[in-house]
Amino acid sequence: MDVVFEQVGLKRGERWLVRGLQAEIPAGRFVAVVGSSGVGKSSLLSAIAGEFELAEGRIGLARDGGGPRSPGEHRRHIAPIFQHLLLSGNLSLLTNVLLGRLGRRSWISTLTGFPAREEQEAYALLADLGLGAFARRQVHQLSGGEQQRVAVARALFQQPDLYLADEPVASLDAYFAGRVLGLLRQEARLRKRTVFCVLHDAALVERFADVALSLDPARPDGWSIRTISRRPGDTQIEGLGL
Amino acid sequence: MPTRQTSPPQPPTLPPMAWYERLTVLNVTFLIFLCAALVSLRGIHGSGRELNLWGNLSRKLHDFFPPDLSVLGKTLGALGETFEIAVVATLLASVVSLPLALAAARTVSPGWLVAVARMVLNAIRTIPSLIWALLAVAVVGPNPLAGVIGLMFYSIGYLGKFFADAFESVDLEVPRGLRAIGAHPIQAFQFGLWPHARPLVGSYTLWMLEYNLRSASIIGYVGAGGIGVQLHIYQEYGQWDRFCTVLLVILAIVTLLDFFGDWLRRRIAPR
């Protein structure tokens, strides 16, 4: 999914967070959103999802070569990984992962549960993230890091065109942080899915991202976009409207 | 060169609390309650006759003991009927209450529907269970069915309100998150709200069952079946030793249910 920012401005109360953001991110890119706390990274992700009202400008999402449309029209093709996870704590890990595809199924078909084939698929994802043994446990019985992996599994299971991951590795150890970001990077490279990911660790940004979008706490129009040079053979991003 | 002497900084002193700062809502409410109790004392007075209070009490208690256990078998049979009335009434009431509670929950339904549903629930709660039972006896005659109908209506008033409160107490962020990925409102309810309200709904239903078992013992007084019919008969004929046996049986079952309810509630406690 292509993401187009046209003179985007975001405000929290009277304070400008971002102004004049102009960029075009082609499908299949891993964009790291960086900046200090409170600078507006989460608000930017919410704005891309259509959940945060823009103070000025426009955000367009285009999929399969179509023209850019508003985020609201692409809701079920967007997978947010929320900072507060928003898992259904009294349901099992397996059910929480299955919820990723609610947008694709009618409410009547989900009244009695999910097809066995999808359960198998969701279980494979959980196993891949080291949670296979707990699949039938309730989410509230898990640690914060384990819950974070469930939230990632739910987003992956959704098979979206755009991931909006708000600090998806904040509670994870180095191994699982690498595993999760590796999976998101794979989604971008192999399946041409676009990833926006809030990250605080500079080393992880350099290792996994194609582009770093930095927000400046001092100046709302001080944002910058930097293409990260990678190993030989990796494609550089072109067409960024800098 | 003269050096400036600096005195060590004084720790700040805590300012005294102003009298009006003590007037919290809780304190004021308690004060009003205390004043109301003092004023109400005027309304409590006896007949003015000289009575031998202790003598009267000990004579009455003497009538109760020892309990006449010859009616135990009959009492246990009636207890079974009471139990059946309470269980069926609670089940029916919880089924009817769920849609009413959904309509009455501010976080689920539109304002006008909430107002209508809450008014209906308030109206149902206004009428005591004994009056519901009387109405039911007038319609279907003096039998256990009247007991079921009477208790069911009374329970709907309470369960409807409790269930609505349970729905409102659930954090809406999870269902909102599901809506954000394209879930239908019914799916957001089924997977985001209901799983968190369910333990509370179960706990309230259990509480209602306990309550109905106690109530079902009383509604027999108006002919609506159960152990209360026996209570009424023994009271009418002044057979207080048999009356006492019935009371002991009720005490036993209520205590048992209380323990069982506590045990079960701890296991389905809301998280």
Side-chain angles (χ1 to χ4, degrees):
Chain A
M1 184 180 275
D2 303 341
V3 182
V4 183
F5 299 95
E6 290 175 16
Q7 294 298 326
V8 169
L10 300 176
K11 256 175 137 177
R12 190 184 294 132
E14 285 307 301
R15 186 165 73 94
W16 282 99
L17 299 169
V18 181
R19 285 202 89 170
L21 177 60
Q22 178 82 20
E24 194 175 328
I25 308 290
R29 299 295 186 266
F30 189 123
V31 182
V33 183
V34 296
S36 52
S37 284
V39 76
K41 302 183 296 294
S42 300
S43 304
L44 180 66
L45 257 54
S46 297
I48 300 172
E51 303 281 327
F52 191 96
E53 207 177 325
L54 302 183
E56 59 184 24
R58 206 171 75 89
I59 294 177
L61 307 180
R63 61 188 294 264
D64 299 335
R69 294 177 175 206
S70 69
E73 293 176 64
H74 288 297
R75 190 165 270 188
R76 67 192 185 91
H77 301 294
I78 302 174
I81 301 173
F82 300 100
Q83 200 171 2
H84 301 297
L85 308 180
L86 302 190
L87 298 168
S88 215
N90 284 0
L91 294 180
S92 70
L93 275 67
L94 195 67
T95 307
N96 268 280
V97 176
L98 288 160
L99 298 185
R101 284 193 198 156
L102 280 187
R104 291 200 209 165
R105 308 195 50 202
S106 70
W107 66 268
I108 293 182
S109 71
T110 52
L111 267 186
T112 49
F114 300 87
R117 181 179 44 78
E118 289 200 355
E119 285 192 344
Q120 199 55 49
E121 213 179 315
Y123 174 73
L125 266 174
L126 283 172
D128 205 12
L129 286 165
L131 295 166
F134 314 128
R136 301 264 181 217
R137 281 210 199 152
Q138 293 191 327
V139 163
H140 68 81
Q141 295 173 315
L142 302 185
S143 74
E146 288 166 334
Q147 292 190 15
Q148 193 152 39
R149 280 182 271 156
V150 178
V152 171
R154 181 172 76 176
L156 289 168
F157 184 73
Q158 194 180 334
Q159 296 183 332
D161 289 327
L162 173 64
Y163 288 94
L164 299 173
D166 199 349
E167 302 192 30
V169 295
S171 315
L172 301 186
D173 58 32
Y175 172 75
F176 277 114
R179 187 91 191 89
V180 163
L181 293 177
L183 281 169
L184 288 176
R185 175 150 181 79
Q186 191 177 308
E187 287 285 289
R189 286 176 66 84
L190 301 182
R191 302 200 173 87
K192 291 290 165 209
R193 291 169 178 158
T194 312
V195 178
F196 276 75
C197 183
V198 174
L199 286 175
H200 282 292
D201 185 335
L204 292 177
V205 174
E206 296 301 318
R207 191 169 146 209
F208 292 100
D210 300 310
V211 181
L213 166 55
S214 311
L215 303 182
D216 188 336
R219 289 189 307 128
D221 58 353
W223 53 268
S224 66
I225 292 185
R226 177 172 64 92
T227 304
I228 294 167
S229 45
R230 312 207 71 83
R231 299 172 292 276
D234 280 9
T235 49
Q236 293 293 307
I237 294 177
E238 288 164 11
L240 292 176
L242 299 177
Chain B
M1 202 167 114
T3 54
R4 200 189 299 172
Q5 287 283 323
T6 53
S7 55
Q10 291 292 314
T13 43
L14 177 70
M17 200 180 199
W19 64 270
Y20 52 84
E21 284 181 297
R22 293 176 200 278
L23 293 180
T24 60
V25 175
L26 184 69
N27 286 349
V28 171
T29 310
F30 180 70
L31 270 177
I32 292 173
F33 174 71
L34 208 65
C35 292
L38 286 172
V39 171
S40 306
L41 279 179
R42 290 184 315 160
I44 317 292
H45 48 76
S47 63
R49 286 186 293 148
E50 282 286 322
L51 291 173
N52 178 6
L53 299 175
W54 287 115
N56 289 348
L57 183 65
S58 71
R59 196 168 56 250
K60 197 75 203 162
L61 283 180
H62 192 256
D63 289 343
F64 275 69
F65 292 98
D68 179 0
L69 295 179
S70 66
V71 292
L72 190 61
K74 211 160 115 188
T75 307
L76 287 176
L79 180 73
E81 191 177 87
T82 301
F83 197 76
E84 286 158 9
I85 292 172
V87 168
V88 176
T90 309
L91 176 74
L92 292 177
S94 58
V95 170
V96 178
S97 299
L98 272 176
L100 264 174
L102 279 174
R106 290 182 192 90
T107 48
V108 178
S109 300
W112 64 268
L113 188 57
V114 172
V116 171
R118 293 214 165 224
M119 209 162 72
V120 169
L121 291 173
N122 286 345
I124 296 175
R125 269 205 313 280
T126 308
I127 302 171
S129 57
L130 208 59
I131 306 296
W132 277 118
L134 264 174
L135 285 171
V137 167
V139 176
V140 300
N143 52 48
L145 180 63
V148 170
I149 294 173
L151 281 184
M152 181 186 80
F153 272 97
Y154 181 74
S155 307
I156 288 170
Y158 276 94
L159 284 183
K161 182 179 162 45
F162 290 160
F163 289 176
D165 289 347
F167 290 136
E168 286 181 0
S169 71
V170 174
D171 183 5
L172 288 182
E173 283 300 303
V174 176
R176 276 199 198 116
L178 293 177
R179 292 281 288 141
I181 55 171
H184 187 275
I186 292 179
Q187 291 173 321
F189 173 80
Q190 183 187 354
F191 297 106
L193 203 147
W194 173 245
H196 300 93
R198 198 173 46 194
L200 275 174
V201 166
S203 179
Y204 287 139
T205 308
L206 196 65
W207 177 85
M208 203 70 227
L209 178 66
E210 285 176 43
Y211 182 91
N212 278 343
L213 198 63
R214 282 188 290 266
S215 285
S217 314
I218 291 302
I219 55 167
Y221 258 85
V222 295
I227 208 166
V229 176
Q230 265 188 302
L231 271 182
H232 194 194
I233 292 169
Y234 296 146
Q235 179 237 317
E236 285 287 302
Y237 288 98
Q239 295 168 320
W240 298 108
D241 45 356
R242 292 182 169 184
F243 191 93
C244 182
T245 305
V246 179
L247 282 185
L248 288 176
V249 167
I250 294 175
L251 174 70
I253 188 73
V254 166
T255 309
L256 262 177
L257 205 68
D258 195 36
F259 277 124
F260 173 68
D262 264 1
W263 174 82
L264 200 62
R265 255 193 299 273
R266 269 201 300 278
R267 271 149 190 82
I268 58 170
R271 284 176 277 260

